[in-house]
Amino acid sequence: MHNKKSSTPRESGNKEPLPWPNQYIADRPTKAAATAAGVGFLMTFLPLGKIVGMLIDVAFALVRPLLLCFGLAKVVDYCRSTGLCDGESETTKPNKR
């Protein structure tokens, strides 16, 4: 028996370009050129490295307070589940055996 798979153009090595970019460029050459120039301008003049670095700095600055809030929430949850938030301490809490 022959176990032959049907291959797609990409698997067989034939690289066919997508039809829509060529058609778009052929229909609207000035709009395509202006779009390419605008994207190139933004990528050249925007300080992307500084923007990404600033976002990372903000994220790291927020990590410590967030962890503190989550820790406090866990402590309050633990106190409520054990009944320690009712004004009782471990030493004055009645023995429930």
Side-chain angles (χ1 to χ4, degrees):
M1 278 196 123
H2 289 81
N3 196 4
K4 191 174 185 178
K5 282 179 23 178
S6 64
S7 62
T8 62
R10 189 167 280 198
E11 290 173 349
S12 65
N14 297 336
K15 294 183 179 179
E16 296 179 26
L18 295 173
W20 67 267
N22 294 334
Q23 187 64 36
Y24 181 80
I25 293 169
D27 290 346
R28 302 170 196 93
T30 54
K31 190 173 182 179
T35 303
V39 169
F41 177 79
L42 287 177
M43 290 182 72
T44 301
F45 290 106
L46 278 180
L48 295 177
K50 288 185 180 183
I51 292 171
V52 170
M54 182 183 64
L55 291 174
I56 290 173
D57 288 343
V58 168
F60 279 126
L62 292 177
V63 165
R64 292 171 102 182
L66 285 175
L67 287 176
L68 179 65
C69 290
F70 287 140
L72 289 175
K74 282 293 191 182
V75 167
V76 169
D77 186 43
Y78 175 75
C79 287
R80 286 185 181 166
S81 67
T82 58
L84 293 176
C85 292
D86 298 334
E88 300 176 351
S89 67
E90 282 290 329
T91 57
T92 61
K93 194 173 180 181
N95 215 353
K96 294 183 179 179
R97 286 187 190 186

